[in-house]
Amino acid sequence: MVMNEQIKASEVVLKGLDGENLGVVEREEALRLARELGADLVCDNLMSSPPPCRLVAKGNARREREKQQQEERKAQGGGKLKEIRLTPAIEDHDYDTKLRSAEKLLKDGNRVLLSVQAKGKEGAKAKELLERMLADLAGTGRKTTGIQVSGKGAAVEVAPL
């Protein structure tokens, strides 16, 4: 969203405060009209020639832009980040339970952080366990970070498809 003096086109297609069509107007005339009415000149699409612009009550344009950016961030972010903790010496039944839990979270649109805490000499098994879990979750999610091994633990973040 481009506003006021940021608009560089020489002519614009202008709409008034109530949505009435004012036709093709020079940029300077549109800015003067916006100042007189106490409004902002807003252009949503610079790709057309002349670009369509509209007059918006002062301050509303900024609120609209912030709301639009917030919706874009929300759509892009993918849900909340939920953590599932595992141990390298996990039983098959427990592994299946954690796998179902991760699949459910991914289907609900949440991101999942799979973390493994190892004790003693189990550190090598942590990465293998995460690779197995990622292979089993390939149908519902994809990893966004590589497997991060630190000390005696390992973690990976998985986002829904």
Side-chain angles (χ1 to χ4, degrees):
M1 181 182 306
V2 182
M3 293 173 46
N4 298 329
E5 280 76 24
Q6 295 173 342
I7 300 170
K8 300 297 181 194
S10 59
E11 292 182 333
V12 296
V13 177
L14 187 62
K15 285 194 175 188
L17 286 170
D18 298 323
E20 69 274 9
N21 193 359
L22 301 176
V24 178
V25 180
E26 288 188 21
R27 174 183 166 263
E28 301 305 323
E29 176 68 19
L31 287 171
R32 186 189 59 73
L33 187 61
R35 271 187 238 110
E36 284 178 6
L37 296 173
D40 287 322
L41 182 64
V42 177
C43 182
D44 294 320
N45 181 10
L46 292 172
M47 294 300 160
S48 60
S49 180
C53 295
R54 56 193 166 98
L55 295 174
V56 178
K58 199 75 155 172
N60 284 355
R62 188 168 17 123
R63 282 191 290 275
E64 282 181 22
R65 178 174 41 192
E66 289 170 358
K67 187 175 181 181
Q68 182 182 15
Q69 288 173 346
Q70 183 180 11
E71 289 174 1
E72 288 173 1
R73 280 194 303 268
K74 188 177 180 182
Q76 178 192 29
K80 295 182 179 179
L81 180 64
K82 305 285 186 166
E83 182 179 13
I84 295 181
R85 294 181 182 171
L86 307 160
T87 59
I90 192 169
E91 300 279 327
D92 286 338
H93 173 70
D94 294 334
Y95 176 84
D96 293 337
T97 303
K98 298 281 188 175
L99 180 65
R100 280 195 309 273
S101 177
E103 286 175 340
K104 183 179 183 299
L105 288 169
L106 289 169
K107 286 179 182 173
D108 290 343
N110 294 308
R111 295 174 295 147
V112 177
L113 177 68
L114 300 171
S115 62
V116 178
Q117 291 299 317
K119 296 178 183 172
K121 297 179 180 178
E122 298 174 330
K125 294 180 182 178
K127 187 172 180 182
E128 294 172 15
L129 179 62
L130 287 178
E131 288 172 347
R132 178 180 164 202
M133 190 74 126
L134 286 172
D136 291 339
L137 289 173
T140 54
R142 57 172 165 63
K143 66 180 182 177
T144 56
T145 62
I147 297 176
Q148 301 164 344
V149 180
S150 61
K152 293 183 178 177
V156 65
E157 187 176 319
V158 182
L161 291 177

